[in-house]
Every structure is written in structure tokens, then in C-alpha cells.
Amino acid sequence: MYREKHIKSGKLFEAEIYPVFRDGRRMPERAPKKRPSRQEQKNLNEKNARKKLVRLINTNFDEHDIVIHGTYRDDEMPIDEKQVKRDIVNYINRLRTYRKRNGLPEIKYIYVIEAKVSKKTGLLRWHFHMIASGMNRDDAEKLWRHGDWTNADRLQPNEKGCESLANYMSKDPQGRKRWASSRNLKKPTIPPPKDGGVTKIGAKRMATLHIDDAAYWERRYKGYRFLSCEAAWNDFNLHWYVNVTMRKQ
């Protein structure tokens, strides 16, 4: 039978439709002895990390919030990531103080640290990108005291929310989580999944006849506008997998 799982993150709605056994166990996607290669596992981990971050950002941030890009002057360049983290923590504390003085709610944030080798000097140049609760952008720039160039932009989600920004922030060539967040972020809403509502024939029709049928999906999920549908056939378990993304009307 098929399971239907819904995920609501801000204005976005996702439906994941996939096969499970009668006892509720998810159906295996490959033979038991066939393990994914190291690259396949890495790709899967990165895909899941991107998906998690996209949903987290879309749940907590919108066009009223800001994106801060912070840099360092050459004579203040940190020697390691620990120093960068300390500087960012101090910066967040200054943002908290500012918000309290100006009657703004507790800050929410997600940030990522990056390092690139300068072609001119050969130095490892540290910088960060942070999505944060909305506030005066000029003041947000002034409160970061280290860089020659610091910029705060208005967050500008598109039809799929902040997917492109989240994809950028979740990239990690070293295979570990590069982003950090405040503890007061809300999690996406995931109601208990429904089993048996979609048949094998129904899943096939979704994956073939209705994959680009906006009217079909908008009838099925009322109140949402169709954005995209992805479908994949599994040669091992002989079942379809369908993922639909929609936006609240």
C-alpha cells in the first residue's frame, strides 16, 4: 500500500507519496546486500540536509526579515573558525540588546560560516551569511564591527520560498553541518501520515498522467497552488515515488 505524508513549512505545502508494507514499515529501495556507494550516500545526505534547511527557513522567515553578509578586514582576519563563531555570538548578543531596547521580539536566526583563499593575498578570508528577524538594515550593518564591507538585504523569497538561499547555505564540501541556528525556531508542521488512501494504480497515474496537471493537484489539495511534481520509478521494489510541492493561495 501507499503512504501519504504532508509537510507544511510557512506558505509551502509538500506531499510525499511512497510505498510501505501492510505493517507500516517503509519498503526497501534496494537489495539488502547492496549498500550505496560513498558518493551516493554523500549525495543523499546533502539532499536531506538541503531539504531540512529549506523547510526550516520557510517555516520561520519571510519577506519581512533580512539577510546579513559579514566580512573581516585583513588586519582582523581570524585564524580559525572558533574565533569566527565567537565574533558571531558577540554580534548576535548586540542584536539582542538592540532589539530589546527598540521593543522588537526575540531574534530568530540561521547563519553559515565560509572561508575562501584570497587570490590577491593568499590569506584565508572568513565571512558569514545570516538570515535574521526583521529590523533596520543600516543598524544591523553597523553592529557588525569587523568588516570593510558588510551588507544587510531584505529577504526576498520566490515561489518556492527561500529554496535557492537554503541550498547555498547547506552546501558542505567537508561533509559536516556548516550552519547554526537559534533555539526558538519553529519546526515544519508534519501531521501523522495516511496509509491506504492511494492505490498502486493511483500512484502510477499521479506519476505519469498527472505529473504536470496543475488542475488535478489543486483539486486534490484545495487552497494551494501547484508548483511542481517529481516522480521516480524504483526498479527494485517496482513502485512509484511521488513528491508534490504547492504554495498557499
Side-chain angles (χ1 to χ4, degrees):
M1 66 179 177
Y2 274 82
R3 172 168 292 171
E4 184 172 355
K5 178 181 177 182
H6 295 173
I7 305 102
K8 296 179 182 179
S9 47
K11 296 178 181 178
L12 289 192
F13 168 86
E14 298 170 78
E16 296 182 347
I17 299 164
Y18 53 90
V20 294
F21 291 116
R22 289 291 175 184
D23 60 4
R25 290 179 297 119
R26 188 156 183 162
M27 204 170 283
E29 299 177 29
R30 57 171 54 87
K33 293 182 180 180
K34 185 181 179 182
R35 294 184 178 181
S37 66
R38 184 173 296 180
Q39 186 60 46
E40 287 175 334
Q41 188 61 52
K42 181 181 178 181
N43 292 342
L44 179 61
N45 291 342
E46 290 179 352
K47 180 181 178 180
N48 290 336
R50 286 194 299 270
K51 191 180 292 185
K52 178 181 178 181
L53 188 57
V54 167
R55 291 169 176 169
L56 194 62
I57 292 175
N58 287 335
T59 300
N60 291 278
F61 302 97
D62 58 25
E63 62 274 10
H64 299 100
D65 299 310
I66 61 175
V67 185
I68 304 160
H69 311 278
T71 62
Y72 283 92
R73 291 181 286 271
D74 287 344
D75 59 349
E76 292 186 0
M77 196 62 62
I79 59 172
D80 56 28
E81 189 174 338
K82 289 183 179 179
Q83 180 60 56
V84 184
K85 287 183 177 179
R86 284 195 291 269
D87 291 338
I88 292 175
V89 168
N90 291 335
Y91 175 58
I92 291 170
N93 288 336
R94 290 194 291 274
L95 292 176
R96 283 197 175 103
T97 300
Y98 171 93
R99 297 180 69 84
K100 189 173 183 179
R101 287 176 178 172
N102 289 274
L104 297 175
E106 177 67 18
I107 188 172
K108 291 184 178 182
Y109 63 83
I110 295 177
Y111 72 82
V112 62
I113 296 172
E114 280 197 301
K116 293 183 179 179
V117 177
S118 170
K119 294 181 179 179
K120 291 184 179 180
T121 64
L123 293 173
L124 189 63
R125 300 193 63 85
W126 295 93
H127 59 281
F128 73 92
H129 308 281
M130 177 186 292
I131 303 174
S133 303
M135 60 177 286
N136 183 283
R137 288 182 283 162
D138 291 337
D139 291 338
E141 293 171 355
K142 292 175 183 176
L143 289 171
W144 176 253
R145 300 169 179 170
H146 300 283
D148 289 325
W149 180 88
T150 303
N151 191 38
D153 299 318
R154 181 171 57 86
L155 186 62
Q156 299 184 51
N158 58 21
E159 287 289 275
K160 289 193 174 183
C162 300
E163 182 178 41
S164 57
L165 179 59
N167 287 341
Y168 173 76
M169 293 181 71
S170 62
K171 285 183 179 178
D172 189 0
Q174 298 181 357
R176 58 187 177 83
K177 188 175 77 169
R178 299 169 64 242
W179 54 271
S181 65
S182 57
R183 295 181 179 179
N184 59 345
L185 298 184
K186 296 179 181 179
K187 294 182 179 180
T189 302
I190 306 177
K194 299 178 181 179
D195 291 345
V198 177
T199 64
K200 190 171 183 178
I201 294 176
K204 180 181 178 181
R205 288 175 177 168
M206 290 176 176
T208 54
L209 297 177
H210 300 304
I211 188 167
D212 294 319
D213 187 350
Y216 169 82
W217 295 111
E218 289 170 7
R219 286 195 304 270
R220 184 176 180 88
Y221 304 115
K222 297 186 184 300
Y224 293 93
R225 179 163 48 83
F226 176 76
L227 296 180
S228 65
C229 178
E230 297 177 355
W233 171 256
N234 187 289
D235 288 325
F236 173 68
N237 63 32
L238 305 179
H239 283 77
W240 284 101
Y241 290 73
V242 181
N243 294 327
V244 186
T245 303
M246 306 186 73
R247 185 177 178 85
K248 193 172 184 179
Q249 295 280 18

